[in-house]
Amino acid sequence: MSGIILGVDPGTRKAGYAVVGSDGRALTQGVEELPLLAARIVQIGAAHDIAAVALGMGTNAEGILGMLAFVGVPVRLVDERETTLRARALYFEDHPPKGWRRLVPLGMQVPPRPIDDYAAVLIARRYLADEGNR
């Protein structure tokens, strides 16, 4: 299945989301508190023709799976191992440290904000890669 994928990195209080094109490029992404996630997904669905949802199999996946039932597209659970570590690297690719921070190894730095959206990008890309291998 090709097309636009909505990646979701589930959590207990918040979830990262990312709309990713079939080329793996993130079109939009963000982090939303769980009570507001359904409304955000409705907005995303109105703005993008979502082909499928890739939901990370992590914390609270079952709770969010029920919330995604209304989307009307296939929802597939995706292995999210190592996405947090890779999300950090992806964040720093997009936002390279400046000033004295560029002298500190990236492994010792922590992004200044939650990076659940970058994990959602990686979950969507993993879904696309799995679909491409089928």
Side-chain angles (χ1 to χ4, degrees), residues 16-27:
Y17 65 87
V19 177
V20 176
S22 59
D23 60 356
R25 189 173 55 90
L27 306 174

Side-chain angles (χ1 to χ4, degrees), residues 4 22 40 47-48 81 97 126 134:
I4 295 176
S22 59
R40 175 67 64 203
H48 301 279
R81 276 181 282 177
R126 192 168 285 172
R134 288 182 182 211

